[in-house]
Amino acid sequence: MNPSKSDLPQGTLDLLILKVAILRPIHGYAIAQRLQQISRDALQVQQGSLYPALHRLENKGFLAAEWKESETGREAKFYRLTAKGRRQLRAETDNWQRLSDAVALVLQLAEGESS
Amino acid sequence: MNWWRRLWTKNQLEQRLAAELRFHFDHQVADNIRAGMSEEEAHRKARIEFGSMDAVKEECRSARGTIWLESTLQDIRFALRTLRKSSAFTFAAICTLALGIGANTAIFELLDAVRLRSLPVPNPQELARIQIRNGNGGFFLSLDDYDVSHPLWEEIRAHQQAFSGMFAWSSQWLRLGEGAQARRASALVVSGEIFSTLQVQPVAGRLFRREDDQPGCAAPGVVLGYDFWQSNFGGQHTAIGSRMVVNDVSLEVIGVAPATFSGVEVGKSFDLAVPICALSVLHRGDRSFQRLDYSWLIVMGRLKPGWTIAQASDHLSAISPGLFEATVPTGYAAASLERYKKFRLEAISARNGVSSLRAQYDDPLWLLLGITGLVLLIACGNLTNLMLARASARQREFALRLALGASRSRLIRQSLCESLLLASTGAALGLALAGALSKSILYFLSTEGDPLHLELSTDWRMLAFTATVGTLACAILGLAPALRSSHIEPGAAIKAAGRGLTTAREGFSFQRVLVVVQISVSLVLVVGALLFVQSFRNLMTVDLGFREKGILLAFFDMSRLRLPTGQIKTFKRELLDDIRSIPQVQAAATTTNVLIGGGMFSLGIRAGAVDDWSRFAWVSPRYLETLQIPLLAGRDFNAGDTETSPKVALVNQTFVHRFFANTDPIGKTFRTSPEPDYPETEYQIVGVIKDTKYFNLRGENPAMSYAPASQDPATWPSSVMYMRSSMPLGPLGAAIGRRLGESHPQMGTQFRAFQTHIEEGLIRERLMAALSSFFGALAALLATIGLYGVMAYMMVRRRNEIGIRVALGASRPQIVGLVMKEAALLLVIGVAAGVAGSLVFARTAATLLFGLTARDPLTFLAAAVLLAAAAALGSYLPAQRASRLDPMTALRDE
């Protein structure tokens, strides 16, 4: 395994998937590619987590799925963000922002003390 | 998409899932090739990256959220497949359960109909019956000790304040139609308020109102029962306003009662209803229904809002003195009247209607429910053993699945699934079977003279009962194997299966306990069966003190002959002479009271210093000869005993014992105390007869006295006759009926074999004997099969051990002994527990037994021996087979 790759904290994969799906309907393979590309290869999503996550999000109604022709001409399952998913994405993003700010704050303070 | 739609489109979903993952995989491969890998390398890399395709799929499925349902469906499908594979087992199991659950449900259905169901009227909990507390003790002419006379009913209605509405009713047979087409119809005789108080609405026309029941109603109407309306008028509304002939009187049909209303008495229905005031019209001006000393009405009421049964009861008790004071009958001795004035009324709940069935069949039905419950328990025990054996055989399969990562809960669920399928199929079939079973029991209980009409419909109580029984059966069946399979240690089970020389003991102990329980429970049932069968046989063979075989009973109704009172006795005498002249009739005699179940009639008797009572009847000469009652001393009545000659009497041994302290009573006298129609009279005793049974086969023989029919002070226009003949009684009755139909076409005649009449009184006993012996035999059979199954199974498990024993020189008898010793131990423990259980059972059955005690030691011994013999047979067969085992095959065989 590439040591520079990071494990995703629990729940963050869902957030990233919703974020990637916001622009246009997108299929699973493209989602994996996009995540890898945007994170500059730092995030490599395992298929074993990606597809269960997609199905879970679809089940919860955050994503809607549709079978249509892909860029290669083959039928693929495209996921699209629903209105409910959009709200969820906003809430989750705020949540994540608060959390990471808080974590960053604690880390800075702790550094300041130790130095 | 809803979860259930996903379930139904599961195949499509699976295909889509596969396609989606495949798409990803193919893209990965294509990208890899684009990145410069060889095709083979690209595939390999993609597969590594992807991991297990099946694991991903499983994850996706569980993310769909329907996995629990899918796996349950899978379990059910798997269970169906397993059950179908062993179809013999499945068939046997379902049949056993259906029979067991069916029998339980059938008995419960009867119990429900007789005891638990409320009257089908609004707010039945407000209904109460008003009766004399502790009954009148046979004081009046009464249909039932708790009934009320017409004047008393009118007093109660006028003075009570607890009820918003009250009504009185009774039932009787009326003659319907004219001439040869005339037939009997069961009629409710009701006061005008009955339908408004019960809040019953008509389906056609109108029902009675209070105005319909006024004294001296000249043209009363008639209300039809729903079934009668359907069968006689085809349910046509034109029936309303038409006229029908009842007891020779033309009555107008005014309405029809709804189908749900079959009267207030459980187990009875009615063809038509007439108001009480109609009785004098229907019985040619006879007003005896208004007599003060004739109790024949059941009085019921609906409580006013806010009143309880207890308050109403207190209120009735408080106003009782005035009511009874106002209705004192005449013609009684002063002491009797004092007793009358002390009677008190009470109210009891009539929510479930009134029922003589209930008193009679309450205990037997509960007992039968217990018996069928125990039979089901034994049957379930057998099935549990079979299920356990199957579970053991599949132990390696379970172990393997555990090792591969199946959860224990999944294994338990699967094994419960099988028992659930068996139990629910059994319960469904049982429910269907119950209807037929309960109907045949009802048919068994119905007699010509006393037809039973019970509403046997499936109600929620019955469904709940069946569901409960089914669930219990399922739990018993499924739990043990399920727990067993969940305790498997996979490693040990895979290694050990089938190879152990001696098997671990704990595996059997549960099955042993099961067999012990089965033996003990079936002992209880066998004891019960033997007790009831003996009790019935005792009743059938009890010495009645008179002859009942070859005796024809004839009932004559002369009321339509319109004879002047003075001629009735002469007519009866001539009728008797006419019957006696028939060559096939060997002897004939009249009586005023039929023995066994024919009613009771007593008079107060004073002889010397003794003041007591005796049963009393007036009979013709040759009564003793006809019934073959032995005359111990003195003489029989003869033609010299006339209306004007000195009054004479025959008395029985108990009479002599009670009034004359066993001294010779011939020539001594006694006096009767006066009653209406029966003035005080002095009789001289001319003969002593042997004791006979009177009303009941059980209990002591009462004091009995007979006087000559010619000296009977009352002259009713009806008569009962015993005729003895060696001819078949059916044809004889028909021939006599034809003969009398020609000579006296206006006279009503009815014939019955005396023996049938007596046996019909024993239906309850016969039912208990028949059903308990059937279930007892079934229980013993099931327990034997159970023991056989367990022993056979143990032999299979111990093949290696026995093979070694035989190889080392054990003889056949030694092997048989080894097995039998094992079985004997189970039997002894089972019988000991069974005897204890039987003692408890017998105590509850004690009141239903006759001629033997509930702890009859012989019965217990016989039951134990019977069961031991059956059990010995059940274990000898496997033992025998084990001893024939060829050691080489046994040891070589894995």
Side-chain angles (χ1 to χ4, degrees):
Chain A
M1 269 245 175
N2 192 336
S4 67
K5 283 174 189 166
S6 310
D7 285 336
L8 281 170
Q10 192 74 37
T12 37
L13 179 60
D14 289 5
L15 176 63
L16 297 182
I17 291 173
L18 292 179
K19 186 75 188 169
V20 170
I22 197 169
L23 293 175
R24 54 182 157 73
I26 183 168
H27 56 71
Y29 185 73
I31 292 176
Q33 294 294 314
R34 290 280 294 163
L35 285 177
Q36 203 169 337
Q37 200 182 337
I38 296 171
S39 70
R40 298 186 204 97
D41 281 348
L43 295 176
Q44 191 163 24
V45 183
Q46 295 294 317
Q47 284 76 6
S49 341
L50 175 66
Y51 284 94
L54 283 170
H55 283 247
R56 192 166 50 244
L57 291 170
E58 186 191 356
N59 195 34
K60 284 182 182 162
F62 298 147
L63 292 177
E66 185 183 11
W67 284 81
K68 58 183 187 185
E69 215 167 89
S70 72
E71 60 280 4
T72 56
R74 224 173 115 177
E75 280 258 295
K77 190 179 183 186
F78 282 77
Y79 293 91
R80 169 176 62 77
L81 200 61
T82 62
K84 193 177 168 195
R86 224 170 272 277
R87 280 196 299 279
Q88 174 71 8
L89 174 61
R90 219 171 295 134
E92 285 288 308
T93 314
D94 290 352
N95 218 2
W96 174 257
Q97 211 59 57
R98 267 200 307 280
L99 186 68
S100 63
D101 287 355
V103 170
L105 204 64
V106 171
L107 288 178
Q108 279 168 12
L109 269 179
E111 250 170 40
E113 271 168 23
S114 70
S115 60
Chain B
M1 239 194 293
N2 291 322
W3 61 266
W4 51 268
R5 264 197 60 199
R6 278 186 220 162
L7 209 57
W8 298 128
T9 54
K10 191 170 153 252
N11 270 339
Q12 199 191 349
L13 278 181
E14 281 295 314
Q15 279 168 17
R16 290 263 166 109
L17 178 60
E20 186 181 13
L21 296 181
R22 190 79 214 165
F23 177 84
H24 185 109
F25 183 79
D26 290 348
H27 259 267
Q28 187 80 58
V29 173
D31 280 356
N32 285 351
I33 290 174
R34 217 171 298 139
M37 291 181 208
S38 70
E39 190 166 333
E40 199 180 328
E41 177 67 11
H43 268 277
R44 207 180 67 87
K45 189 87 192 308
R47 253 202 302 277
I48 291 171
E49 228 163 90
F50 210 97
S52 158
M53 182 82 88
D54 284 323
V56 176
K57 277 186 188 170
E58 190 63 23
E59 289 262 334
C60 289
R61 283 184 206 120
S62 87
R64 274 205 303 259
T66 50
I67 188 88
W68 59 273
L69 204 72
E70 279 165 32
S71 64
T72 303
L73 282 181
Q74 247 172 28
D75 284 345
I76 291 177
R77 267 202 303 273
F78 183 73
L80 276 176
R81 215 161 47 227
T82 353
L83 289 176
R84 208 166 40 220
K85 261 201 310 212
S86 45
S87 50
F89 162 79
T90 309
F91 182 74
I94 288 178
C95 282
T96 316
L97 285 171
L99 270 176
I101 295 175
N104 273 282
T105 310
I107 303 287
F108 181 80
E109 191 176 8
L110 289 173
L111 201 65
D112 182 27
V114 168
R115 184 179 176 86
L116 303 173
R117 203 169 292 169
S118 298
L119 282 178
V121 300
N123 300 316
Q125 74 282 357
E126 293 170 1
L127 296 175
R129 176 178 178 179
I130 293 97
Q131 59 184 26
I132 296 173
R133 180 168 293 157
N134 301 324
N136 62 26
F139 186 85
F140 304 109
L141 293 169
S142 17
L143 290 180
D144 184 288
D145 272 11
Y146 292 93
D147 287 352
V148 164
S149 71
H150 191 260
L152 181 59
W153 141 243
E154 290 187 317
E155 283 294 313
I156 298 171
R157 180 173 55 179
H159 292 103
Q160 66 80 23
Q161 270 138 33
F163 301 95
S164 58
M166 294 194 92
F167 63 93
W169 64 277
S170 184
S171 51
Q172 56 175 254
W173 294 104
L174 294 176
R175 200 178 54 259
L176 202 66
E178 288 165 295
Q181 264 88 55
R183 59 197 168 95
R184 290 198 315 167
S186 66
L188 284 184
V189 180
V190 300
S191 71
E193 308 89 339
I194 182 167
F195 295 112
S196 58
T197 307
L198 288 174
Q199 296 172 8
V200 169
Q201 304 301 327
V203 286
R206 65 174 186 89
L207 301 178
F208 294 131
R209 296 190 280 261
R210 186 153 182 189
E211 307 85 81
D212 292 307
D213 182 28
Q214 297 299 334
C217 53
V222 58
V223 165
L224 305 181
Y226 187 86
D227 290 345
F228 183 85
W229 179 52
Q230 289 293 331
S231 56
N232 286 267
F233 291 91
Q236 294 293 315
H237 283 256
T238 49
I240 310 302
S242 67
R243 304 192 78 83
M244 54 197 289
V245 176
V246 181
N247 275 23
D248 301 326
V249 182
S250 170
L251 301 182
E252 183 187 344
V253 176
I254 63 164
V256 180
T260 49
F261 183 76
S262 59
V264 194
E265 176 157 16
V266 178
K268 296 288 155 72
S269 71
F270 68 100
D271 294 331
L272 41 98
V274 293
I276 292 174
C277 66
L279 284 180
S280 63
V281 182
L282 294 175
H283 293 289
R284 279 163 302 280
D286 180 6
R287 308 195 75 86
S288 59
F289 72 91
Q290 289 174 322
R291 282 171 60 146
L292 291 158
D293 62 331
Y294 179 32
S295 296
W296 60 288
L297 286 167
I298 293 173
V299 175
M300 291 172 65
R302 190 181 278 278
L303 290 169
K304 281 180 182 167
W307 281 74
T308 64
I309 300 268
Q311 284 167 344
S313 215
D314 290 343
H315 167 66
L316 288 169
S317 185
I319 63 170
S320 289
L323 303 179
F324 286 102
E325 194 72 49
T327 56
V328 172
T330 51
Y332 283 94
S336 305
L337 295 180
E338 283 312 306
R339 226 179 87 217
Y340 178 82
K341 289 175 196 166
K342 290 208 179 70
F343 286 152
R344 293 292 171 267
L345 293 171
E346 65 173 349
I348 57 165
S349 170
R351 160 190 205 129
N352 305 333
V354 300
S355 173
S356 55
L357 277 179
R358 204 175 294 149
Q360 215 183 342
Y361 288 107
D362 203 18
D363 285 352
L365 284 176
W366 282 113
L367 216 58
L368 279 176
L369 192 63
I371 288 176
T372 48
L374 290 179
V375 170
L376 182 62
L377 191 69
I378 297 177
C380 283
N382 272 2
L383 293 179
T384 307
N385 259 334
L386 282 174
M387 300 277 284
L388 273 175
R390 283 157 53 84
S392 304
R394 281 163 63 187
Q395 211 159 31
R396 228 197 304 202
E397 173 201 329
F398 284 143
L400 200 60
R401 290 174 54 185
L402 275 178
L404 287 177
S407 66
R408 284 177 197 272
S409 66
R410 182 81 192 266
L411 289 186
I412 293 181
R413 197 165 61 184
Q414 201 166 69
S415 129
L416 278 177
C417 219
E418 263 178 50
S419 49
L420 186 72
L421 273 179
L422 289 177
S424 52
T425 316
L429 286 176
L431 196 62
L433 202 64
L437 277 176
S438 57
K439 273 192 195 69
S440 40
I441 292 178
L442 203 61
Y443 180 74
F444 186 94
L445 291 176
S446 275
T447 60
E448 195 193 333
D450 191 11
L452 273 182
H453 171 90
L454 277 182
E455 201 59 50
L456 287 180
S457 54
T458 311
D459 65 356
W460 64 269
R461 264 192 228 99
M462 202 174 132
L463 289 176
F465 177 84
T466 314
T468 313
V469 172
T471 313
L472 278 178
C474 167
I476 297 175
L477 285 189
L479 228 49
L483 292 178
R484 171 80 59 89
S485 60
S486 72
H487 280 142
I488 294 171
E489 280 303 324
I494 292 175
K495 259 185 282 170
R499 205 63 190 105
L501 291 185
T502 55
T503 25
R505 278 215 165 298
E506 44 86 36
F508 292 141
S509 57
F510 181 72
Q511 274 154 297
R512 286 206 181 87
V513 170
L514 263 182
V515 167
V516 166
V517 169
Q518 282 182 311
I519 291 175
S520 58
V521 170
S522 53
L523 183 76
V524 173
L525 295 183
V526 171
V527 165
L530 288 176
L531 285 176
F532 283 121
V533 167
Q534 286 180 87
S535 174
F536 179 60
R537 202 205 52 208
N538 289 346
L539 281 168
M540 288 295 281
T541 56
V542 69
D543 180 20
L544 299 168
F546 56 84
R547 179 192 166 115
E548 83 283 15
K549 288 190 183 65
I551 304 264
L552 186 66
L553 259 178
F555 302 87
F556 300 113
D557 176 9
M558 303 145 191
S559 56
R560 296 175 73 216
L561 298 176
R562 296 168 194 272
L563 297 167
T565 314
Q567 285 177 28
I568 290 181
K569 269 186 192 162
T570 322
F571 179 84
K572 287 183 186 172
R573 203 161 40 239
E574 285 167 5
L575 181 66
L576 182 59
D577 288 339
D578 184 34
I579 298 290
R580 280 177 178 163
S581 71
I582 300 170
Q584 287 85 358
V585 175
Q586 289 154 1
T590 65
T591 180
T592 52
N593 196 303
V594 180
L595 292 169
I596 312 299
M600 293 180 265
F601 185 87
S602 314
L603 286 177
I605 303 281
R606 180 186 287 276
V610 187
D611 198 351
D612 210 336
W613 57 268
S614 166
R615 303 294 186 203
F616 221 99
W618 284 266
V619 299
S620 68
R622 297 175 66 190
Y623 174 79
L624 300 183
E625 181 199 330
T626 309
L627 289 186
Q628 298 186 340
I629 300 171
L631 180 70
L632 300 176
R635 65 168 179 91
D636 191 3
F637 302 135
N638 55 42
D641 298 312
T642 64
E643 211 163 347
T644 47
S645 68
K647 305 279 187 283
V648 292
L650 290 168
V651 298
N652 72 353
Q653 293 163 295
T654 306
F655 189 103
V656 176
H657 174 73
R658 188 170 300 166
F659 293 95
F660 297 101
N662 287 337
T663 58
D664 180 14
I666 306 283
K668 293 189 177 146
T669 59
F670 63 82
R671 297 187 81 82
T672 61
S673 76
E675 284 195 14
D677 297 320
Y678 300 95
E680 184 173 338
T681 313
E682 188 177 78
Y683 290 91
Q684 188 185 37
I685 298 171
V686 294
V688 178
I689 58 170
K690 240 184 117 188
D691 278 353
T692 64
K693 296 283 171 193
Y694 182 69
F695 182 73
N696 223 316
L697 295 184
R698 297 156 185 264
E700 297 297 305
N701 297 323
M704 176 82 218
S705 33
Y706 290 105
S710 56
Q711 297 176 351
D712 186 353
T715 45
W716 307 110
S718 61
S719 180
V720 186
M721 209 180 281
Y722 293 111
M723 308 169 192
R724 203 174 82 223
S725 173
S726 50
M727 234 188 105
L729 298 179
L732 178 69
I736 297 176
R738 272 195 303 279
R739 178 188 172 121
L740 293 176
E742 281 162 25
S743 55
H744 307 289
Q746 291 292 304
M747 187 168 67
T749 48
Q750 240 188 304
F751 297 93
R752 288 182 92 190
F754 194 25
Q755 205 175 356
T756 317
H757 167 81
I758 293 172
E759 281 169 9
E760 280 181 0
L762 293 177
I763 284 178
R764 187 178 74 164
E765 281 74 16
R766 186 185 313 184
L767 176 80
M768 286 310 285
L771 289 185
S772 69
S773 49
F774 171 72
F775 288 127
L778 191 65
L781 181 71
L782 285 172
T784 306
I785 293 174
L787 187 65
Y788 169 82
V790 168
M791 294 315 282
Y793 175 66
M794 284 195 223
M795 289 313 104
V796 173
R797 298 284 299 232
R798 287 169 72 180
R799 271 168 74 93
N800 292 68
E801 177 202 333
I802 291 170
I804 290 174
R805 282 175 191 267
V806 174
L808 290 179
S811 67
R812 271 187 190 186
Q814 271 173 326
I815 298 292
V816 172
L818 185 78
V819 179
M820 295 297 277
K821 212 165 70 192
E822 178 101 39
L825 184 71
L826 299 181
L827 186 68
V828 167
I829 302 174
V831 165
V835 167
S838 302
L839 287 174
V840 177
F841 171 87
R843 211 172 45 213
T844 57
T847 53
L848 295 170
L849 298 179
F850 175 78
L852 74 168
T853 66
R855 301 177 159 211
D856 189 50
L858 261 178
T859 303
F860 278 72
L861 190 67
V865 168
L866 205 74
L867 210 58
L873 186 74
S875 48
Y876 182 71
L877 293 176
Q880 187 68 19
R881 198 174 324 137
S883 71
R884 295 228 186 82
L885 205 62
D886 174 17
M888 283 321 286
T889 4
L891 287 174
R892 204 181 295 138
D893 198 39
E894 207 272 350

